[in-house]
Amino acid sequence: MFRYILKRLQALVISLIIASLVIFAAVEVVPGDPASFMLGINAQEDTIMALREQLGLNVSLWERYFTWVTGMVQGDFGTSYTYRTPVSDMIAERMVISLPLALYALTLSTLIAFPAGIIAATRRGSVADVSVMGVTQLGVAIPNFWFAMLMVVVFAINLGWFSAGGFPGWDAGFFAAMKALTLPAIALALPQASILARVMRSSLLDTLSEDYIRTARAKGLTRRQALWRHALRNALIPVLTIIGLQFAFLLAGGIIIEKVFFLPGLGQLIFQAITQRDLIVVESVVMLLVFAVILVNFAVDLAYGIADPRLRRART
Amino acid sequence: MTLLTIENLSMKIGAVEILHDVSMSVAPGEILGVIGESGSGKSMTAFSVMQLLPDAATCTGAITLASTDILAASESDLCTIRGNDVGMVFQEPMTALNPVKNIGDQVAETIRIHEPGVSKAEALARAREALDRCELPEDRFPLTRYPHEMSGGQRQRVVIAMAIARHPKLLIADEPTTALDVTTQAEILTLLKRLVTEDNMGLMMITHDLAVVSDMADHIVIMKDGEVVEEGPAATLYKDMQHPYTKALFEASSHQPDRNAPLKSPPLLQVKGLIRDYTLPREKLLKAPGKFRAVNDVSFEIRRGESLGLVGESGCGKSTLTRAILGLEAIQDGEIILDGAPLFTEGGVNPMARRKMQVVFQDPYGSFNPRWKVARLITEPFHLLDNPPTGLAFETAVDQALISVGLTPDDKHKYIHEFSGGQRQRIAIARALITRPDLIILDEAVSALDVSVRAQVLDLLAELSEKHGLTYLFISHDLSVVRTITDRVLVMKAGEIVEKGETESVFDTPQHPYTKALIAAAPRLPDDSPADIKETA
């Protein structure tokens, strides 16, 4: 197991290096000079040159790459071209909303999907199965912003249980903050839970028809015991993969939901930065997201290793 | 005093009757051989005893296990009986174990399910005993081993240990050795016999292979289409079998197709010093990956019109050799020459040589695209030709190929799922024949077939060889089949040819210790079986 972890760590570092190179290169080839953008169209040539000097845009590409990477490693993401504030502060400000929101949505989606998928698989063809399949079909099909607006109308405007949007900050207390994140989390979780429940169902159905389930039954296990002791752990591998992918998406992909609920999250930040050619912010946020994705994949890999001893032999 | 009695058992799944009026019994310490081909209902009889049937199944009749009425028992009673009073061993040891649990936990589970009061440590200690009894010693097979770290035969021993951990009165073994090599098969059969004697346990041994049970069963039941067609004590059944099906089955098991030994002819295929290495996965990022030599310096030749057998157990390199001869994989050293032309040339596989051979694989289900019609399936090798036939010539080629394997031209419009296993293998042969090759490689081509179907396919192969002057490379783990259809035989072990010679002399007077072991392990029908069965069959 130790060697397996070491291998995965090795892969993690290599992916990070490659990702940083790609992101840096991609942002460099995007047309548009941040200095001229900041100074407007009527700026003098020498003013632009001076600003470029000040922003550190005049040194060679490699130097800029190394400054950027070494800065990031030390937690210094540079200074935003547009707002003149440290990028790390801007990201931190948004992360306190986006990260809890993503975790909240992921927890909800797992809590809904697991029981739904298990019930559907164990009672294949029953009313429960057909309803789970129908509802999840709908959950995948409905655009989540529309569902979000529907929830705002019902729970915020008509019933008044939740506020229609905005975030009071964590200073307002844990419950107040979580309450503000509840509707967005549900809106984010619905399509994810639908996909996850379907994956859980089909994976479990495959596993339940395996020979070792029959062996377990021949040992005297009841259907339920065979499911919990033998089928579930084997069925979990594809489900874990989907969860890993979903978390990465939830962290930054919630921009539409952030818009609907007026949440100043990471998605909004990256959107603003792109429109304002604030390349240093774009680079940093994208790098951070890549880091999050790679980290989550690493965690999923470790979970694989725990779930399936065959993978521990570190063949990849 | 009988242990298990099955009386007039009929079983339906939905409206389809699977078993009809089946009766048999097993006494303590007795071995009952239940023999039949696929679809005969032999496995379903076993699953009826366990009551592990599909949901739609209904049973009538009576199954009594040590005075318990199985058909009247509740599901929770059945859970107490399964694993405790009846143990079961299955055909596929590779998939019968849970891959994510270690063997200790899996064997201990049988004990803990039935004795909830037992501590985990004690259950594991008793699991250890059960594994020891199944000849998996602690130093080589600690309880923490996982199934993927073991071979098929070792896994089957774990499955047996799970089944006998609670010392059941009855053990049901459903084709326990079918997926195993002959030497492993012999060991597992010996183990089962020993356990039966030690525990005075009844054993219901289900198999398609008459030879497997011939020297171990006390009593034999022969099943066909869900019914028992013949039964009797093993000692006399082989001598005075009554039912025509039994005789046919017996004849098919040792079927000898009519074929003439070829004249001395020039070599068609020459393999010289063939080496095939596999690259192992990289251990470290910057270290050169290791190599595994699957085929090591193999040389042989096949004369035109000859049938050459290649035998060996799984992992010996015979499939790798097949793929190399077919040009599917690059070789590391050596030469393959087909009809005077080298198979590998500078630009890759030489199409002139490649089109002179075709292959038939083991799995008549998996080797066809299920979405294609037969006409398209069997004409696929046409891509090897420079000017493939079109229009009427195309249709004629398809019709002729189908007729030559005993099917009708109308079959070309059908899909593969509309055919039985034997018919599918005929279609695979038609596909191999359509380009009129000189050499056909038969890679375990009859291993998945029932004995009676196998006999028909072997006859067909012999007939086609006469008619079209075909040369066969016949690869199989089944010695009896190789013996009936080949002129010369090669014995392969660990990537090398350890013995070669005329088939009869290799089988009668094997020289290499490995060949001797293989032949000794192969199950054989009793020699004193009636001589007149061929006429009645």
Side-chain angles (χ1 to χ4, degrees), chain B residues 340-351:
Chain B
L343 179 67
F344 290 100
T345 49
E346 297 255 330
V349 175
N350 177 3

Side-chain angles (χ1 to χ4, degrees), chain B residues 301-339:
Chain B
E301 56 180 50
I302 311 179
R303 293 192 300 272
R304 192 175 278 281
E306 190 184 33
S307 173
L308 178 73
L310 176 63
V311 296
E313 298 190 288
S314 41
C316 75
K318 43 186 206 301
S319 297
T320 308
L321 181 59
T322 318
R323 285 198 297 272
I325 294 173
L326 284 167
L328 296 176
E329 289 176 2
I331 56 173
Q332 276 62 53
D333 198 11
E335 256 188 305
I336 299 170
I337 298 167
L338 188 64
D339 205 11

Side-chain angles (χ1 to χ4, degrees), chain A residues 7 211 215 219 230 234 310, chain B residues 95-96 98 106 109 114 283:
Chain A
K7 288 252 168 188
D211 285 352
T215 312
K219 280 200 273 188
H230 292 279
N234 278 292
R310 283 169 296 185
Chain B
T95 52
N98 185 341
Q106 294 197 52
E109 192 177 34
H114 295 287
E283 291 280 311

